[in-house]
Amino acid sequence: MPVNIPADDALRRLQDGNRRFATDTRNADNLSSLTRRALMVGQQPFAIILGCSDSRVPAEIIFDQGLGDLFVIRVGGNIVAPSQIGSVEFAADQFGTRLVVVLGHSQCGVVTATLKELQAPDHMHSRNLRSIVDRVRPSLEGLLKTDLVHDPDALLREAVRANVRVSANQLRHGSEVLERLIDRDGLHVVGAEYSLESGLVDFFDGVYGS
Ligand SMILES: [Zn+2]
């Protein structure tokens, strides 16, 4: 199996890159297409990112990384379905990548749509869109039984995080391949939220000390 950098180091690289992005001091080398394309004989991405498709949350930009650095899977609501698990398995196995980040974000449209659907079910969704909403729904149902229902902003904030936690746990426990890599080979799955407001990513789930 190819050797990649440890999960801790990968996490630090993402945190440093996000700080550069948030302070508008992005690294010119990472932005250069020519220098990076010249290196592309193979790839060894140091982190796998499962993020939302939202146009405001492109992983390479918000972590200030260049071509070849990140293996990115994007899907509405950063949900975990078999094809997402398969993609993570592929990268962890083929490239020895040891850090997986489930990346949600504030004001997520899919999470908002799911909350609306739970509070006032309508039958307008296509079957395909419903398959996404149905994967988000179980992580949010419990929240609607709390006082958060009276505070829509707080409810959405908690819902985004609950959805990230559930996706991260599905990656940790939904695949024998990933479980083995976690137990024996240092694979680490963490959950994070990107703030559209500040530009900062908060790694709040599965990180030591969080
Ligand atoms: Zn989203």
Side-chain angles (χ1 to χ4, degrees):
M1 192 181 284
V3 178
N4 208 310
I5 63 171
D8 289 6
D9 294 344
L11 182 61
R12 220 163 297 128
R13 246 195 234 187
L14 291 179
Q15 288 170 322
D16 289 347
N18 177 240
R19 220 168 285 129
R20 290 194 301 275
F21 166 78
T23 54
D24 209 15
T25 53
R26 290 168 66 193
N27 183 333
D29 279 352
N30 288 340
L31 297 171
S32 163
S33 48
L34 277 182
T35 43
R36 286 303 187 94
R37 280 180 56 208
L39 300 172
M40 286 299 122
V41 284
Q43 61 169 320
Q44 203 179 24
F46 72 82
I48 301 165
I49 314 285
L50 170 62
C52 182
S53 300
D54 191 295
S55 65
R56 299 163 294 181
V57 196
E60 290 87 347
I61 294 179
I62 67 164
F63 289 120
D64 187 27
Q65 301 300 322
L67 295 178
D69 285 332
L70 303 178
F71 189 93
V72 181
I73 305 144
R74 289 178 70 179
V75 58
N78 41 271
I79 57 159
V80 172
S83 54
Q84 279 79 46
I85 297 179
S87 298
V88 173
E89 288 176 353
F90 173 79
D93 180 58
Q94 291 289 306
F95 313 125
T97 311
R98 286 295 166 262
L99 178 68
V100 182
V101 179
V102 175
L103 181 66
H105 64 97
S106 59
Q107 301 176 40
C108 182
V110 170
V111 173
T112 304
T114 307
L115 285 171
K116 270 197 197 137
E117 173 71 15
L118 281 165
Q119 289 169 308
D122 75 56
H123 302 286
M124 295 298 287
H125 293 305
S126 76
R127 193 157 48 93
N128 302 309
L129 184 51
R130 180 166 291 282
S131 76
I132 293 181
V133 167
D134 283 347
R135 284 186 189 275
V136 177
R137 180 201 304 268
S139 57
L140 309 191
E141 278 167 340
L143 295 176
L144 292 174
K145 295 177 188 133
T146 69
D147 286 344
L148 285 169
V149 284
H150 307 302
D151 184 345
D153 292 341
L155 176 63
L156 179 57
R157 273 198 305 276
E158 285 306 312
V160 163
R161 292 196 169 218
N163 183 46
V164 167
R165 282 192 198 96
V166 166
S167 286
N169 272 327
Q170 282 170 340
L171 289 180
R172 291 179 190 119
H173 304 295
S175 151
E176 282 175 26
V177 174
L178 297 183
E179 258 183 33
R180 199 168 53 239
L181 287 169
I182 289 168
D183 286 346
R184 299 188 200 159
D185 291 308
L187 184 75
H188 207 66
V189 179
V190 303
E193 181 188 7
Y194 171 71
S195 163
L196 294 178
E197 297 76 18
S198 69
L200 290 169
V201 174
D202 181 13
F203 292 88
F204 67 90
D205 182 62
V207 178
Y208 301 115
S210 74

